Amino acid sequence: MNSHQHRATRSLLLTMEDTLPGKFEITKNGLVHDLGSPNSPHELTRARLRRRLENVAPKEIVAHSGKPDVENEPEGIMRRPDVMVIAMADMDVPGSFDPRTLRAAIEVVSRSNPDNDWVGKVRDYPLIGIPVYAIFDPRTATGAVLTDIHPTPEGPRYATRKDFVYGEDVTIGEWTISTDNLPQYKD
């Protein structure tokens, strides 16, 4: 997707945003439409992670959820992480956040589209320069933290993956938090 196509696609998504359910993202391989509406375990996980990170990070670092998105127009990628660890000063920009200013992106795996978090974002986040990607999966009470972007013939990838199970402490960037009492999806 060239720059002009990316801007046109983004404009179209912004006009549809308030009229169609779910969340839209522009990936390296096209559009993702996550129809699933946030549920209680997903939102509670996101809230607990935000609070835990903000309790250990310096006051100029926030664990932000919500808008705006992160965007790398030359790569044709626009993503909306569940939680973005970012300095307040880097939030003071018009439009989308620069993904290279994020300290970390955190995703709570969606029940309706887990491959978006485990495959698509694992591909896209290193490509746009997000140094740390943490995945929390309420389906299995497990997760992973991916770091150390390095070049490969297929493009930048994370070189290091540290898996964890809920109940263990996990280090995201410079900060270690507990994964105790994170909710799981019920069947």
Side-chain angles (χ1 to χ4, degrees):
M1 182 179 303
N2 66 38
S3 186
H4 175 71
Q5 292 168 323
H6 176 78
R7 284 192 305 275
T9 303
R10 189 177 201 308
S11 293
L12 176 65
L13 292 181
L14 290 175
T15 62
M16 296 182 336
E17 193 170 58
D18 294 330
T19 60
L20 295 175
K23 175 172 82 169
F24 291 92
E25 295 177 301
I26 304 170
T27 77
K28 194 64 179 169
N29 290 350
L31 294 177
V32 170
H33 182 203
D34 188 351
L35 285 170
S37 60
N39 55 41
S40 180
H42 184 280
E43 292 305 300
L44 182 56
T45 300
R46 187 162 76 163
R48 286 185 176 160
L49 293 172
R50 285 184 61 214
R51 179 165 288 162
R52 290 172 190 184
L53 278 164
E54 288 184 343
N55 283 337
V56 297
K59 66 180 180 179
E60 67 271 4
I61 302 294
V62 296
H64 173 72
S65 59
K67 294 180 183 181
D69 47 46
V70 294
E71 183 174 28
N72 182 302
E73 189 176 310
E75 290 295 340
I77 297 172
M78 181 200 69
R79 289 294 199 161
R80 292 188 172 147
D82 286 322
V83 178
M84 295 172 267
V85 182
I86 187 170
M88 279 191 207
D90 291 327
M91 295 176 72
D92 190 15
V93 295
S96 300
F97 293 150
D98 179 342
R100 294 166 298 184
T101 63
L102 268 59
R103 305 290 179 93
I106 300 169
E107 296 292 352
V108 179
V109 174
S110 165
R111 187 191 302 241
S112 64
N113 191 2
D115 284 350
N116 185 37
D117 298 312
W118 281 109
V119 178
K121 291 177 183 178
V122 169
R123 175 197 63 235
D124 288 352
Y125 283 175
L127 186 63
I128 61 176
I130 296 175
V132 177
Y133 176 33
I135 307 166
F136 290 79
D137 196 336
R139 299 171 311 147
T140 59
T142 62
V145 178
L146 296 99
T147 59
D148 304 319
I149 297 172
H150 71 107
T152 72
E154 296 80 36
R157 296 289 179 257
Y158 293 111
T160 304
R161 175 179 165 152
K162 293 184 180 179
D163 293 318
F164 61 88
V165 297
Y166 284 18
E168 297 177 332
D169 286 350
V170 62
T171 300
I172 300 170
E174 304 167 38
W175 308 284
T176 300
I177 61 170
S178 169
T179 62
D180 282 339
N181 301 315
L182 293 178
Q184 292 181 253
Y185 296 143
K186 307 279 190 260
D187 288 332

